[in-house]
Amino acid sequence: MASVDVEMVKCACPDCVCVVSLSKAVTRDDKAFCCDECAEGHPDHAGCDHAGCSCHG
Protein backbone atom coordinates (compact mmCIF):
# COMPACT_ATOMS: atom_id res chain seq x y z
CA MET A 1 0.00 0.00 0.00
CA ALA A 2 1.35 3.44 -0.91
CA SER A 3 1.77 6.08 1.76
CA VAL A 4 -0.24 9.30 1.49
CA ASP A 5 0.94 12.71 2.62
CA VAL A 6 -1.96 14.58 4.21
CA GLU A 7 -1.71 18.35 3.97
CA MET A 8 -5.20 19.45 5.08
CA VAL A 9 -7.11 18.16 8.11
CA LYS A 10 -10.35 19.02 9.89
CA CYS A 11 -9.91 21.02 13.09
CA ALA A 12 -9.96 18.67 16.10
CA CYS A 13 -12.57 20.84 17.87
CA PRO A 14 -15.77 18.75 17.66
CA ASP A 15 -18.01 21.75 16.88
CA CYS A 16 -15.69 23.39 14.34
CA VAL A 17 -16.07 22.94 10.58
CA CYS A 18 -12.68 24.42 9.64
CA VAL A 19 -10.16 22.54 7.54
CA VAL A 20 -6.60 23.65 8.19
CA SER A 21 -3.27 23.01 6.54
CA LEU A 22 -0.89 21.04 8.76
CA SER A 23 1.79 23.67 8.22
CA LYS A 24 -0.46 26.40 9.73
CA ALA A 25 -2.31 24.31 12.33
CA VAL A 26 -2.04 24.87 16.08
CA THR A 27 -0.99 21.51 17.52
CA ARG A 28 -1.91 20.34 21.03
CA ASP A 29 -1.78 16.74 22.30
CA ASP A 30 -0.96 15.51 18.77
CA LYS A 31 -4.19 17.06 17.42
CA ALA A 32 -4.43 19.83 14.82
CA PHE A 33 -6.64 22.86 15.47
CA CYS A 34 -7.45 25.87 13.28
CA CYS A 35 -6.63 28.45 15.97
CA ASP A 36 -5.60 28.93 19.59
CA GLU A 37 -9.24 29.34 20.73
CA CYS A 38 -10.14 25.84 19.52
CA ALA A 39 -6.88 24.35 20.81
CA GLU A 40 -7.49 25.78 24.29
CA GLY A 41 -11.07 24.51 24.48
CA HIS A 42 -12.64 27.97 24.17
CA PRO A 43 -11.93 29.17 27.73
CA ASP A 44 -13.68 32.50 27.03
CA HIS A 45 -16.64 30.73 25.37
CA ALA A 46 -15.81 32.49 22.11
CA GLY A 47 -15.97 30.79 18.75
CA CYS A 48 -13.11 30.62 16.32
CA ASP A 49 -14.55 33.53 14.26
CA HIS A 50 -14.25 31.59 10.99
CA ALA A 51 -17.22 31.77 8.63
CA GLY A 52 -19.66 28.87 8.98
CA CYS A 53 -18.50 27.67 12.40
CA SER A 54 -20.81 27.25 15.33
CA CYS A 55 -18.10 26.21 17.77
CA HIS A 56 -18.73 27.64 21.21
CA GLY A 57 -19.65 31.05 19.79
Side-chain angles (χ1 to χ4, degrees), residues 1-44:
M1 179 179 250
S3 66
V4 177
D5 290 331
V6 176
E7 293 181 18
M8 302 290 287
V9 295
K10 184 196 172 298
C11 177
C13 174
D15 298 318
C16 189
V17 297
C18 290
V19 175
V20 63
S21 108
L22 287 176
S23 64
K24 295 182 180 180
V26 176
T27 305
R28 298 269 162 63
D29 298 325
D30 294 325
K31 296 178 183 175
F33 297 89
C34 68
C35 62
D36 287 324
E37 288 82 4
C38 285
E40 294 169 5
H42 303 277
D44 298 322

Side-chain angles (χ1 to χ4, degrees), residues 37-38 40-49 54-57:
E37 288 82 4
C38 285
E40 294 169 5
H42 303 277
D44 298 322
H45 303 290
C48 70
D49 294 329
S54 61
C55 62
H56 306 275

